[in-house]
Amino acid sequence: MKRIVSFRRGTLAAATGAALTAALLTGASGAEATINNQAAAPDVDVAAVKADLGELQSIADANGGNRAHGQPGYQKSVDFIKGKLDAAGFTTSVQEFTSGGTKGYNLIADWKGGSEDKVVMAGSHLDSVEAGPGINDNGSGSAAILEVALAVAKADLQPTKHLRFAWWGDEEDGMVGSTHYVDSLTDDDKSKIDSYLNFDMLGSPNPGYFVYDDDPELEKVFTDWYAAKDISTDPETEGDGRSDHAPFKDAGVRVGGLFTGAEATMSQEQADKWGGKAGEAFDPCYHSACDKTSNIDDKALDLNTDAIANAIWTLSS
């Protein structure tokens, strides 16, 4: 997540004969008797997400300790993510841009099928700051959406809406990559994006459970999922205008997402409901060299990854 500089702000299938017979015998309603042709979202294995984070850590370790824009660790990070997506059957493309006199890259991955007049996008920034490897900020979001994308492929999901995943370059200098992507779209292209979901910092070690409140329908998809697990959420405000949802929102695309907190401190009320440490930062290693694999809360990472999968399955059907 960019440091504060300024604030700008299923299709339902017909019931089978056996199911209809059972419904009639039991008096079930038509809605209850109808069988959906799409399975529920899977439980994404957090061990796989953590393995991806381990790979991003190794990339940083081998390339000057970071994965920042313009540095070799960033290009290696793109290659790592792209390789897994290509092997899973995604159509990938690398979009180039220039920032600070240095070439940068966005990685875009499209899943087959679904109406391209209605596109559901999920994105995260892949770059770190130069001070550290950026495992929570934002390896956590990048690895989470990678494993959700791989779950889409494993399930051979056949969405009604088209699914697109994105890993943005140079977020840390002001959402440069995502802004370039949005600016490159025609007005018609922008109108076809049904929703953009942003995931930036999902495993903070003193985690909060924050949901973007920019769009009521998208917010409800996440808050309902957490409520079903008896987990309270708060509206996300710390990251307003500071991550890659901002250029989409400015372009009139509805946005949503999740966040576990950065340099702000947890209140006592938040500590009481989330079991955290009041008066301490959500992520004491924010933009620091200590933002390593040890800087991740496994429970928060696991919950948020599964919440993303649920949102992708729900919103694309």
Side-chain angles (χ1 to χ4, degrees):
M1 174 175 289
K2 176 182 176 290
R3 188 178 294 279
I4 297 177
V5 175
S6 62
F7 279 89
R8 9 178 240 114
R9 279 247 19 139
T11 303
L12 295 178
T16 63
L20 276 172
T21 301
L24 291 170
L25 290 174
T26 59
S29 69
E32 292 170 332
T34 304
I35 298 174
N36 195 295
N37 69 346
Q38 197 73 278
D43 182 346
V44 179
D45 187 1
V46 72
V49 185
K50 292 189 68 180
D52 295 334
L53 293 180
E55 183 64 29
L56 293 175
Q57 177 74 62
S58 295
I59 289 171
D61 291 344
N63 291 277
N66 68 65
R67 302 179 301 98
H69 165 72
Q71 301 300 315
Y74 182 74
Q75 180 64 67
K76 295 293 185 181
S77 298
V78 171
D79 293 344
F80 164 63
I81 302 285
K82 185 177 186 299
K84 297 194 79 168
L85 293 165
D86 288 341
F90 280 83
T91 299
T92 62
S93 61
V94 176
Q95 182 186 49
E96 295 184 3
F97 60 90
T98 300
S99 176
T102 304
K103 191 173 291 185
Y105 307 94
N106 294 324
L107 173 62
I108 312 298
D110 285 272
W111 183 241
K112 61 189 178 184
S115 171
E116 294 194 13
D117 288 332
K118 289 286 187 180
V119 179
V120 174
M121 286 192 72
S124 66
H125 74 88
L126 186 54
D127 62 314
S128 73
V129 293
E130 291 191 12
I135 297 304
N136 187 37
D137 184 16
N138 182 38
S140 60
S142 294
I145 67 167
L146 171 61
E147 289 303 325
V148 170
L150 296 178
V152 165
K154 184 177 181 180
D156 193 23
L157 189 66
Q158 299 178 33
T160 301
K161 299 174 184 176
H162 185 71
L163 276 176
R164 181 173 298 147
F165 296 84
W167 289 261
W168 307 117
D170 204 17
E171 185 267 0
E172 296 292 1
D173 288 320
M175 296 82 71
V176 180
S178 56
T179 298
H180 176 80
Y181 175 83
V182 173
D183 288 348
S184 72
L185 299 175
T186 66
D187 288 343
D188 186 49
D189 290 334
K190 293 172 189 175
S191 71
K192 292 178 180 178
I193 302 177
D194 174 79
S195 50
Y196 172 72
L197 306 177
N198 195 60
F199 304 104
D200 191 350
M201 302 181 66
L202 300 184
S204 300
N206 190 31
Y209 292 91
F210 298 101
V211 177
Y212 289 28
D213 61 349
D214 303 86
D215 180 88
E217 180 187 354
L218 300 181
E219 180 184 19
K220 190 173 187 298
V221 170
F222 290 112
T223 56
D224 283 357
W225 188 88
Y226 274 102
K229 296 185 177 299
D230 295 321
I231 297 174
S232 298
T233 58
D234 279 355
E236 197 287 306
T237 58
E238 185 184 2
D240 285 354
R242 295 175 57 192
S243 193
D244 294 298
H245 61 291
F248 286 89
K249 184 177 179 179
D250 289 347
V253 176
R254 62 182 191 149
V255 299
L258 300 173
F259 178 55
T260 51
E263 75 268 46
T265 56
M266 181 179 285
S267 70
Q268 185 61 60
E269 180 184 2
Q270 290 169 330
D272 290 343
K273 67 184 176 183
W274 293 327
K277 298 177 181 178
E280 294 190 12
F282 294 101
D283 184 359
C285 288
Y286 174 67
H287 282 190
S288 300
C290 60
D291 187 9
K292 301 179 178 182
T293 51
S294 57
N295 190 46
I296 292 290
D297 183 272
D298 290 0
K299 179 182 177 182
L301 184 66
D302 190 10
L303 286 167
N304 281 318
T305 304
D306 288 340
I308 295 169
N310 176 72
I312 291 297
W313 258 250
T314 301
L315 293 170
S316 67
S317 66

